[in-house]
C-alpha cells in the first residue's frame, strides 16, 4: 500500500456534506475519494483500499421512513462483511449527522458490529423534542478518550443541523455501559462547559444525558450529530468577526502550527478531529 | 396479500409530531383537545408471507428503540393507541400524488432481498383525545391535518385492503383530437380559448387561425395546447413586452406616453447602457451569469411560486425552490448551486379568522407550510439558505408571495450552449405524471371504492432527492462534455423546454418514449405536464452510451425521446401517429403584440397628526415587535445555512447568534478567500405611495446591505422580481410602469446592471365580488464580490467605548414607515433617493472597510435609525448612547424636524457604523466630504440612551428588554 492516508467519503442519493467533509480530510493531509455507494456494491471500488471511511451528513434517501434507515440496511445487508474486516483491521470510521444516524441504525455504533445480528440496534437517533429541523451552534464537552477526540479543547463550538438527532438508548443499562466504557465522546453543554441537563437550546434536541456523539469500545469508530467539518475554517465560526481582532481571538490556530511563524489560514474547533484521524493512520497503519 | 403495519411511539417517548399537531389545533381556536398521537401506517401489497412482512417491519420500518408496531392482513378492530373514545382520522395521499416515501420503502424492501412486493402505500392516523363536536373534528381534519388538493381522509380503514393498482387502459393508437378554427368568429374563438383553458386572447387565437388557414389544415388539440404554453404570460411576458399606453394624471396635468416593450425600455435598457464587461450572459438564459474569478463565473436567478403556494403552501413553496434550483442547473451547460435565498409576503399571522376571504387559508397556516416547503427542498438539496426577508400586509391574504432565489457557480467557458443538428433529445430525472396540468382532474372513481374527486392538477409534492441525484450526475456529465445543451423543465413542461432548445433546429419527439409515473396520460398531458425534477438535454449520439452508463451508476432515470432534426419544425408523434407539426418560427415569433392601457394617479393619504412622544421606550418596543421588523430567527433556524461549509457571514450574527445580518457572505470555493455577498430589498408599503420610489428604495436597500458587509461596490449585479395584480386593469399596470421606470433610472445611476428577472401577475383574490389586489411588490436581489472574506463586517456592536457614526443624510421622510404604521397611517412623504450622494458615501465606506477601520456596520431600513441602533446594541450584547442633534438632517429649519422624525424616518442610503476610538481620525479622513455624524458611543452596560434635539433624554431603555420584544412575535 502506498504511504498515503486514504479516505473513503461515501455518498448516495441525498448525501450532501461530502464536499466539505472531503475538504477537511484533504486539508489535513489525506488523499480522499468521494465514492457512490453503488461503486462499492458493484465492486468497482473496494473498501479495503482505504484507511478511513467517512459517512457525511445529508438526507440519504430523503430520510424516508427514518433518517439513515435505508442506507444503514444497505451497509448491514450488502456491505456487512467488508465493514467487519475494515473494523478488524483497526481502521477508522466517522459518521457525521446523517452518517451517525446510519452507523447507529446499522448497529456499527455503539458496537460491536455483527453483520447478521437480529436485534442490531442498541441506541437510536430520533425526532428532536421541538419537532422540527433546527440549525444552530452548540457547545460540546469533549469526553471521549479515543483516537478521534485526542487533544481537543475541553469545550468545542460546532453547529448542528438536523431534525432527528435525539439520542435515545434502548435501555438504561446500555447507557450505563457506554458511560463506563468511555464511549460517550461528546455531550451538549452550556457555553461555560457546565452540563446542559437536557435544557433547550443548549441541548438542541432533547438527547438523553445530553449525548451528542459516541464511539465504539475501541474509540476508532466515531459518530456525532454536530458537524466538525463546518467548523474547520476560522471564518466558519458564527461570530469570527468578533474574535479576529480581539486579544482572546488571537489564539494560535490548532493544527496549523508552522515552525517559522509562516502565516497559514487559521482553523476552527473541528479541524483537530480530522487531523487526529489522519495522524492515527500515519502512526499505526502506514 | 395486503399487510397493514401500524407504528407508534413507545409509551414514555415524547411524540413531537403529535405535539406539533396539538399546537396547530389550538391555533384553530379548538382548545378542548388534550392529546394527539400519530400512528404511521404502511400498507404492503404483493407476494409477501407474514414472516416477510414482519421482517420488513422490524428491520426497515420500525425503530425498535423508540417505537412499537403491530401487523395484520385485515383491519384492526380497535385503535393502536389512545383511549376508547378518541377520534381517529387517517389521512393519505390522493392517487396520482407521488409520495417519495413509497418509492424509498420499495427500494428498502428490495435491498432486503424480498422481491415479491408490488406496491407500498402510506398513511398517517391521528388519534385525537378530548371533547369535540363532529363539526370541530371536520374543522381539525380540513384545516390542520390535510390539504384536500393532495390528501384525503380514509373513511373506512378497511378500504386500505382494496388493492390499488393504477391500471388504466391505454390505447396504443391515439384518437387525434382536432379543433377546427376555420371561419370562426371572434366570439367563437374566445369561447374555444376559454373552454380549453388556453388563456389566449382573441388576437392570439386569430393569429393561430390564420396560421392554420395558411397551412391549409385543422389544428390538433395538442397543437393548440403547445401554442398556449409558448404564448402564455408566464413563458412569454406579454405584458412586459407589449405595447402600453401610459397616462400620468398629476397635479391636474395629463401626460401620455407610448411604451413599445416596457422590458426593453427599462430593465434591459439599463443593462445595455451600463454595458459592464463582467456581464457574461444576461436575460437570455435561465439565469444571469457574471464573472467571479480566474476559473469560475457565478449566476443568479430568483423565481416566484405564488399561485401554487396559495393553494398548497408546502407543495407550492417546495416546488418553487426545486424550480429555481433547476434554473441554475440549466444555466449555460449547468451550474452548481451554492446558496439559496427566500423572501415571502404574507398577511399578518394574527389576521382575524372571521375576516378571512372564503376559500383562503389562514396566513399562519400559509406561513408554516411555506417555511416547511422551503426547508424541505433546500435542506435536502444541500444548499444553504442564507438570506431572505418576510413582509406582512393584510392584502396578501389571498395571494401570498413566495420568492425563491439560487446562486450557482460555473466554470468559465461553460456558459454557452446550443443544441446541434442531429443531437438526441434526452429527458433525465423525475418521471412524468399529471402534476401541474391546470384543470386536469384525476378521477379516482375506478381506483378505490371512494368516489372522492381527486385533483392532483395544480400542485404536487416535490422530491428533492430526485433532483439532488440529477445535480450529482449533471455536474459529472458536464465535466465529461457529454451534451451540447441543457435546460430545465419548468412551466410548460417538455413543451417549453424542448421548444426553447429546438427553437432554431426544430424537434421530433416520440411522446410514448417519455417515462411515466403511471399509465393513463394522454399525449397532450405528457407534453405539457409540469412534473418536477426533470431536465432536458441535447446529447450527441456519440455520447449517449456514456451518459446512460453514468446515470445507471447512480440510479438516475434517463430516456431518449427524440432528435433535433434541423427542420425548424416541431413534430410530435404518439405511437407512430403524428399529432403535432408546427413551425418553430411561428411558435416563437408569431405571437401578436398586445396593447394595454396604464394610468398613474398619485394617491394622497391622510397625513396623521400626533404629538411627538417624550419617552420613546414604548414606541420603540412596538416598532421592534412589528411583524415586518421583528426577528425572523424562528424561520431562519428551520433552514440549514451552513451546509457546503461556505457561510462566512450567516443570517444570524453576534455572540448569541441572533442578530439580524444585512447581507450574507459565502465563499463558494473553500480553498479561496474570495466570496459572494447576497442581499435583497423589498418594501411593499413604499409602493402603496409611489412604486417609482419603491423601486429606488429597494435597489438602495439591496446595495447598502452588500456595502455593509464589505462587498466590492463595482461588482454588484441585481435581479428584479415584479409581483403585481391584474395588469389588464390600467391602475395596476400604471404602478408597474412606474416601478419599471424607477428600476431603470436607479440601476443606471448606481451602475448595477440587471442580469435576470421575472414577473408574476394576476395576484388578486376575489371574495364576494370584491377584488383584493396585493400591493405591487418589487423584490430586488443583489449579488456582489467580496475580495477577501476575512475583511467582511457584521452588524453587531463589537467593543464598548468605540464611536458610533451615522453615514448619510436623514430627511423628513416617514411615508410608508413602520413608525407611522403603528399610528395606523401610511403618510405621503415616501423616501427618495439621491444616487450621487449615496454612491459617494458607499464608495468611501467600502474603502474604509477594506482598511479594516470599521468594527460593525448596519443599514438603516424599516424602523430607521432607532431600530438599527437597537439591533446593533442587542446583537452585540452592549448598550449605546446617541445624540440626535449629531444626525445630519436635510432642512434643519423644517418644522417637521422632531425627535421621532430623526429616529424613525426611513430615508435611504444610511448606515450606522462602529469605529474603534483609535481609528477615529483615519476613518474620518477616509470619509471626508461625506454627510456623516458621530452620534455616540458603545457602552458596556446594556442600556440605550438617546438624547433628543433639545438634549432631552428621550429614550432610556434596557437593550435586553428591546431584544425580547423583537424576538417574540414570530415564535409560534
Amino acid at each position: 500500500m502506498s504511504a498515503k492516508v486514504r479516505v473513503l467519503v461515501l455518498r448516495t442519493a441525498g448525501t450532501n456534506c461530502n464536499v466539505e467533509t472531503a475538504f477537511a480530510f484533504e486539508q489535513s493531509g489525506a488523499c480522499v475519494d468521494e465514492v457512490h455507494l453503488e461503486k462499492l456494491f458493484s465492486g468497482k471500488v473496494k473498501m479495503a483500499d482505504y484507511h478511513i471511511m467517512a459517512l457525511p451528513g445529508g438526507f440519504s434517501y430523503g430520510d424516508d421512513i427514518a433518517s439513515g434507515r435505508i442506507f444503514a440496511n444497505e451497509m448491514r445487508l450488502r456491505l456487512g462483511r467488508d465493514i467487519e474486516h475494515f473494523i478488524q483491521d483497526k481502521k477508522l470510521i466517522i459518521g457525521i449527522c446523517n452518517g451517525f444516524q446510519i452507523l447507529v441504525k446499522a448497529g456499527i455504533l455503539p458496537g460491536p458490529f455483527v453483520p447478521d445480528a437480529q436485534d442490531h440496534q442498541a441506541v437510536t437517533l430520533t425526532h428532536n423534542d421541538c419537532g422540527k429541523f433546527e440549525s444552530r451552534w452548540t457547545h460540546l464537552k469533549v469526553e471521549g478518550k479515543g483516537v478521534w477526540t485526542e487533544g481537543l479543547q475541553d469545550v468545542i463550538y460546532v453547529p448542528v443541523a438536523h431534525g432527528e438527532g435525539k439520542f435515545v438508548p434502548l435501555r438504561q443499562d446500555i447507557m450505563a455501559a457506554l458511560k463506563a466504557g468511555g464511549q460517550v465522546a461528546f455531550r451538549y453543554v452550556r457555553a461555560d462547559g457546565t452540563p446542559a441537563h437536557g435544557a433547550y437550546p443548549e441541548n438542541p434536541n432533547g438527547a438523553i444525558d445530553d449525548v451528542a456523539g459516541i464511539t465504539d469500545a475501541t474509540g476508532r469508530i466515531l459518530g456525532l450529530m454536530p458537524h466538525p467539518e463546518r467548523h474547520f475554517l476560522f471564518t466558519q465560526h458564527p461570530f469570527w468577526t468578533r474574535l479576529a481582532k480581539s486579544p482572546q481571538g488571537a489564539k494560535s490556530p490548532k493544527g496549523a502550527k508552522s515552525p517559522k511563524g509562516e502565516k497559514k489560514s487559521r482553523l476552527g474547533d473541528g479541524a483537530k478531529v480530522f487531523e487526529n484521524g489522519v495522524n492515527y493512520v500515519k502512526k499505526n497503519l502506514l | 396479500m395486503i399487510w397493514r403495519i401500524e407504528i407508534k411511539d413507545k409509551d414514555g417517548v415524547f411524540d413531537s409530531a403529535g405535539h406539533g399537531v396539538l399546537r396547530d389545533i389550538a391555533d384553530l381556536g379548538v382548545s378542548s383537545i388534550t392529546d394527539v398521537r400519530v400512528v404511521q401506517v404502511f400498507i404492503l401489497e404483493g407476494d409477501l408471507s407474514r414472516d416477510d412482512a414482519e421482517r420488513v417491519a422490524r428491520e426497515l420500518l420500525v425503530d425498535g428503540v423508540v417505537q412499537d408496531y403491530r401487523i395484520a392482513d385485515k383491519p384492526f378492530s380497535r385503535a393502536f393507541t389512545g383511549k376508547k373514545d378518541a377520534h381517529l382520522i387517517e389521512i393519505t395521499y390522493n392517487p396520482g400524488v407521488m409520495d417519495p416515501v413509497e418509492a424509498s420503502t420499495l427500494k428498502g424492501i428490495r435491498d432486503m432481498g424480498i422481491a415479491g412486493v408490488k406496491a407500498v402505500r402510506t398513511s398517517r392516523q391521528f388519534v385525537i383525545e378530548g371533547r369535540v363536536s363532529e363539526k370541530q373534528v371536520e374543522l381539525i381534519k380540513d384545516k390542520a391535518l390535510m390539504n384536500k388538493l393532495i390528501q384525503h381522509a380514509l373513511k373506512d380503514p378497511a378500504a386500505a385492503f382494496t388493492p390499488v393498482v393504477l391500471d388504466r387502459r391505454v390505447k396504443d393508437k391515439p384518437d387525434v383530437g382536432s379543433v377546427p378554427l376555420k371561419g370562426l368568429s371572434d366570439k367563437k374563438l374566445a369561447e374555444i380559448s376559454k373552454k380549453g383553458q388556453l388563456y389566449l386572447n382573441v388576437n392570439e387565437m386569430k393569429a393561430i387561425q390564420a396560421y392554420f388557414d395558411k397551412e391549409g389544415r385543422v389544428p390538433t388539440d395538442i397543437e393548440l395546447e403547445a401554442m398556449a404554453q409558448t404564448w402564455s404570460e408566464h413563458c412569454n411576458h406579454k405584458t412586459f413586452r407589449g405595447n402600453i399606453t401610459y397616462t400620468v394624471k398629476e397635479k391636474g396635468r395629463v401626460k401620455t406616453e407610448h411604451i413599445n416593450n416596457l422590458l426593453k425600455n427599462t430593465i434591459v435598457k439599463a443593462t445595455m447602457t451600463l454595458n459592464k464587461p463582467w456581464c457574461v450572459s444576461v436575460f437570455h438564459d435561465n439565469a444571469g451569469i457574471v464573472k467571479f474569478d480566474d476559473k469560475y463565473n457565478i449566476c443568479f436567478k430568483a423565481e416566484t411560486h405564488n399561485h401554487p403556494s396559495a393553494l398548497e403552501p408546502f407543495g407550492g413553496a417546495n416546488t418553487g425552490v426545486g424550480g429555481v434550483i433547476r434554473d441554475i442547473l440549466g444555466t449555460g451547460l449547468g451550474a452548481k448551486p451554492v446558496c439559496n435565498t427566500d423572501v415571502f409576503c404574507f398577511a399578518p399571522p394574527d389576521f382575524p379568522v372571521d375576516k378571512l376571504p372564503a376559500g383562503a387559508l389562514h396566513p399562519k397556516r400559509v406561513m408554516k407550510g411555506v417555511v416547511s416547503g422551503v426547508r424541505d427542498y433546500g435542506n435536502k438539496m444541500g444548499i444553504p439558505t442564507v438570506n431572505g426577508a418576510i413582509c406582512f400586509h393584510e392584502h396578501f391574504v389571498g395571494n401570498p408571495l413566495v420568492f425563491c432565489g439560487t446562486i450557482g457557480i460555473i466554470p468559465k467557458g461553460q456558459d454557452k450552449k446550443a443544441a446541434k443538428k442531429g443531437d438526441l433529445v434526452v429527458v433525465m430525472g423525475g418521471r412524468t405524471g399529471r402534476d401541474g396540468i391546470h384543470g386536469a382532474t384525476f378521477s379516482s372513481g375506478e381506483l378505490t371504492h371512494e368516489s372522492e374527486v381527486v385533483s392532483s392538477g395544480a400542485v404536487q409534492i416535490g422530491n428533492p432527492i430526485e433532483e439532488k441525484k440529477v445535480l450529482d450526475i449533471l455536474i459529472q456529465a458536464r465535466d465529461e462534455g457529454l451534451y451540447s445543451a441543457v435546460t430545465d423543465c419548468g412551466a410548460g413542461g417538455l413543451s417549453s423546454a424542448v421548444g426553447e432548445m429546438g427553437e432554431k433546429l426544430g424537434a421530433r419527439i416520440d411522446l410514448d418514449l417519455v417515462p411515466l409515473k403511471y399509465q393513463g396520460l394522454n399525449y397532450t398531458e405528457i407534453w405539457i405536464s409540469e412534473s418536477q425534477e426533470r431536465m432536458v438535454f441535447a446529447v450527441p449520439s456519440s455520447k449517449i452510451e456514456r451518459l446512460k452508463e453514468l446515470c445507471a451508476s447512480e440510479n438516475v432515470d434517463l430516456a431518449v425521446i427524440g432528435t433535433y432534426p434541423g427542420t425548424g419544425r416541431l413534430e410530435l408523434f404518439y405511437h407512430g401517429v403524428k399529432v403535432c407539426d408546427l413551425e418553430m418560427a411561428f411558435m416563437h415569433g408569431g405571437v401578436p403584440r398586445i396593447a394595454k392601457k396604464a394610468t398613474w394617479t398619485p394617491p394622497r393619504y391622510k397625513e396623521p397628526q400626533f404629538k411627538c412622544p417624550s419617552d420613546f421606550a414604548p414606541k420603540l418596543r412596538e416598532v421592534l415587535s412589528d411583524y415586518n421588523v421583528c426577528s425572523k430567527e424562528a424561520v431562519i433556524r428551520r433552514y440549514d445555512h451552513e451546509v457546503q461549509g461556505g457561510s462566512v457571514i450567516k443570517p444570524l450574527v453576534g455572540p448569541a447568534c441572533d442578530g439580524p445580518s444585512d447581507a450574507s457572505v459565502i465563499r463558494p470555493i473553500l480553498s479561496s478567500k474570495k466570496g459572494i455577498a447576497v442581499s435583497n430589498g423589498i418594501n411593499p408599503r413604499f409602493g402603496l405611495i409611489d412604486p417609482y420610489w419603491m423601486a429606488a428604495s429597494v435597489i438602495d436597500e439591496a446595495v447598502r446591505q452588500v456595502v455593509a458587509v464589505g462587498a466590492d461596490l463595482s461588482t454588484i449585479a441585481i435581479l428584479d422580481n415584479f409581483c403585481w395584480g391584474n395588469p389588464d386593469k390600467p391602475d395596476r399596470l400604471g404602478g408597474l410602469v412606474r416601478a419599471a421606470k424607477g428600476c431603470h433610472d436607479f440601476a443606471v445611476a448606481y451602475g448595477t446592471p440587471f442580469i435576470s428577472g421575472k414577473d408574476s401577475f394576476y395576484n388578486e383574490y376575489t371574495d364576494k365580488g370584491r377584488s383584493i389586489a396585493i400591493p405591487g411588490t418589487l423584490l430586488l436581489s443583489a449579488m456582489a464580490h467580496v475580495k477577501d472574506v476575512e475583511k467582511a463586517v457584521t452588524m453587531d456592536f463589537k467593543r464598548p467605548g468605540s464611536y458610533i457614526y451615522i453615514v448619510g443624510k436623514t430627511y423628513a421622510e416617514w411615508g410608508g414607515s413602520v413608525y407611522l404604521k403603528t399610528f395606523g397611517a401610511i403618510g405621503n412623504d415616501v423616501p427618495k433617493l439621491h444616487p450621487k450622494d449615496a454612491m459617494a458615501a458607499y464608495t468611501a465606506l467600502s474603502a474604509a472597510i477594506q482598511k479594516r477601520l470599521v468594527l460593525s456596520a448596519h443599514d438603516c431600513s424599516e424602523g430607521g435609525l432607532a431600530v438599527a441602533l437597537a439591533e446593533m446594541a442587542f446583537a452585540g450584547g452592549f448598550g449605546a448612547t446617541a445624540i440626535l442633534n449629531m444626525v445630519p438632517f436635510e432642512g434643519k429649519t423644517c418644522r417637521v424636524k422632531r425627535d421621532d422624525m430623526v429616529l424613525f424616518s426611513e430615508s435611504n442610503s444610511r448606515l450606522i457604523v462602529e469605529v474603534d476610538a483609535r481609528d477615529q481620525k483615519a476613518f474620518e479622513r477616509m470619509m471626508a466630504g461625506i454627510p456623516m455624524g458621530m452620534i455616540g458611543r458603545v457602552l458596556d452596560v446594556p442600556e440605550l440612551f438617546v438624547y433628543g434635539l433639545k438634549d432631552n433624554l428621550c429614550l432610556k431603555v434596557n437593550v435586553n428588554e428591546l431584544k425580547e420584544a423583537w424576538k417574540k412575535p414570530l415564535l409560534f
Side-chain angles (χ1 to χ4, degrees), chain B residues 226-267:
Chain B
M227 295 304 306
Q229 296 295 333
T230 314
W231 289 5
S232 67
E233 177 68 58
H234 195 108
C235 299
N236 206 26
H237 311 287
K238 289 186 284 198
T239 299
F240 255 112
R241 292 175 203 265
N243 281 311
I244 296 174
T245 308
Y246 171 59
T247 307
V248 181
K249 295 174 192 163
E250 203 170 4
K251 292 171 189 155
R253 275 177 306 188
V254 179
K255 221 175 91 189
T256 297
E257 180 188 351
H258 294 284
I259 303 166
N260 175 1
N261 194 328
L262 183 60
L263 192 64
K264 241 183 204 161
N265 281 291
T266 55
I267 308 289

Side-chain angles (χ1 to χ4, degrees), chain B residues 502-680:
Chain B
E503 189 179 335
K504 300 261 152 54
L505 296 171
R508 190 201 177 283
I509 305 290
D510 285 306
L511 290 169
D512 45 298
L513 297 180
V514 176
L516 302 181
K517 289 181 179 176
Y518 34 77
Q519 292 304 308
L521 273 72
N522 67 39
Y523 55 77
T524 304
E525 289 173 324
I526 295 171
W527 187 236
I528 66 169
S529 158
E530 294 179 7
S531 285
Q532 301 291 307
E533 289 97 26
R534 300 176 302 165
M535 299 294 290
V536 174
F537 295 78
V539 181
S541 49
S542 60
K543 309 276 177 149
I544 188 67
E545 286 314 314
R546 173 60 194 140
L547 186 61
K548 280 182 178 167
E549 184 187 29
L550 192 59
C551 284
S553 74
E554 302 196 4
N555 304 313
V556 172
D557 275 348
L558 161 149
V560 178
I561 61 168
T563 56
Y564 295 105
T567 57
R569 297 190 77 84
L570 176 67
E571 293 176 275
L572 304 178
F573 294 82
Y574 189 65
H575 292 290
V577 177
K578 188 186 264 190
V579 293
C580 169
D581 187 355
L582 288 168
E583 205 182 307
M584 282 289 193
F586 174 65
M587 291 188 77
H588 292 278
V591 62
R593 300 281 301 282
I594 57 162
K596 284 187 183 177
K597 283 198 172 66
T599 56
W600 169 250
T601 315
R604 186 76 205 163
Y605 298 97
K606 202 177 152 214
E607 203 59 53
Q609 299 294 327
F610 56 88
K611 264 199 201 148
C612 182
S614 55
D615 169 16
F616 283 103
K619 240 340 159 196
L620 181 53
R621 271 195 297 267
E622 192 182 346
V623 170
L624 283 167
S625 58
D626 185 277
Y627 287 125
N628 291 287
V629 176
C630 75
S631 170
K632 310 298 185 289
E633 182 179 344
V635 173
I636 296 168
R637 294 216 179 279
R638 301 280 84 75
Y639 307 144
D640 192 339
H641 36 263
E642 313 271 357
V643 63
Q644 297 193 12
S647 307
V648 174
I649 303 295
K650 304 169 207 282
L652 297 167
V653 298
C657 298
D658 57 2
S661 185
D662 290 319
S664 291
V665 177
I666 58 160
R667 64 200 286 182
I669 308 294
L670 292 177
S671 52
S672 157
K673 283 187 180 177
K674 186 146 189 179
I676 304 169
V678 54
S679 69
N680 68 80

Side-chain angles (χ1 to χ4, degrees), chain A residues 154-228:
Chain A
D154 278 358
V155 175
I156 62 169
Y157 196 38
V158 280
V160 293
H162 60 247
E164 297 178 41
K166 179 182 179 177
F167 178 87
V168 181
L170 180 62
R171 294 182 309 269
Q172 263 315 308
D173 62 298
I174 291 173
M175 190 70 230
L178 291 180
K179 280 189 218 171
Q183 285 180 251
V184 175
F186 299 102
R187 275 180 214 272
Y188 299 112
V189 290
R190 300 199 182 102
D192 62 5
T194 56
H197 289 308
Y200 177 85
E202 286 80 5
N203 174 338
N205 48 37
I208 303 298
D209 277 334
D210 302 324
V211 172
I214 59 171
T215 62
D216 72 335
T218 70
R220 289 192 294 266
I221 306 175
L222 169 69
L224 73 168
M225 286 314 297
H227 288 270

Side-chain angles (χ1 to χ4, degrees), chain B residues 143-290:
Chain B
K143 302 279 181 193
L145 302 184
M146 68 166 197
N147 186 314
K148 276 185 197 165
L149 283 170
I150 51 167
Q151 293 162 314
H152 63 279
L154 287 167
K155 292 205 179 73
D156 171 13
F161 286 87
T162 315
V164 173
V165 180
L166 293 166
D167 194 17
R168 290 185 153 228
R169 277 152 295 157
V170 189
K171 284 183 192 157
D172 278 351
K173 294 286 172 199
D175 299 326
V176 182
S178 57
V179 188
L181 299 179
K182 197 173 173 65
L184 294 187
S185 67
D186 287 8
K187 204 178 144 205
K188 284 272 179 224
L189 289 174
E191 259 176 48
I192 287 173
S193 172
K194 196 167 179 196
K195 228 174 120 189
Q197 297 192 24
L198 302 176
Y199 295 99
L200 294 169
N201 65 30
V202 171
N203 280 337
E204 289 155 0
M205 287 299 289
K206 278 161 88 172
I208 294 170
Q209 187 184 38
Y211 173 80
F212 283 100
D213 279 355
K214 197 185 76 198
E215 295 263 303
R217 65 184 180 88
V218 174
T220 65
D221 45 6
I222 192 173
E223 285 175 328
L224 271 187
E225 285 278 7
M227 295 304 306
Q229 296 295 333
T230 314
W231 289 5
S232 67
E233 177 68 58
H234 195 108
C235 299
N236 206 26
H237 311 287
K238 289 186 284 198
T239 299
F240 255 112
R241 292 175 203 265
N243 281 311
I244 296 174
T245 308
Y246 171 59
T247 307
V248 181
K249 295 174 192 163
E250 203 170 4
K251 292 171 189 155
R253 275 177 306 188
V254 179
K255 221 175 91 189
T256 297
E257 180 188 351
H258 294 284
I259 303 166
N260 175 1
N261 194 328
L262 183 60
L263 192 64
K264 241 183 204 161
N265 281 291
T266 55
I267 308 289
V268 176
K269 190 175 164 193
T271 302
M272 295 307 140
T273 304
L274 291 169
N275 195 22
K276 294 284 182 189
W278 43 263
C279 284
V280 176
S281 162
V282 289
F283 297 115
H284 70 266
D285 206 339
N286 289 323
I289 309 176
V290 297

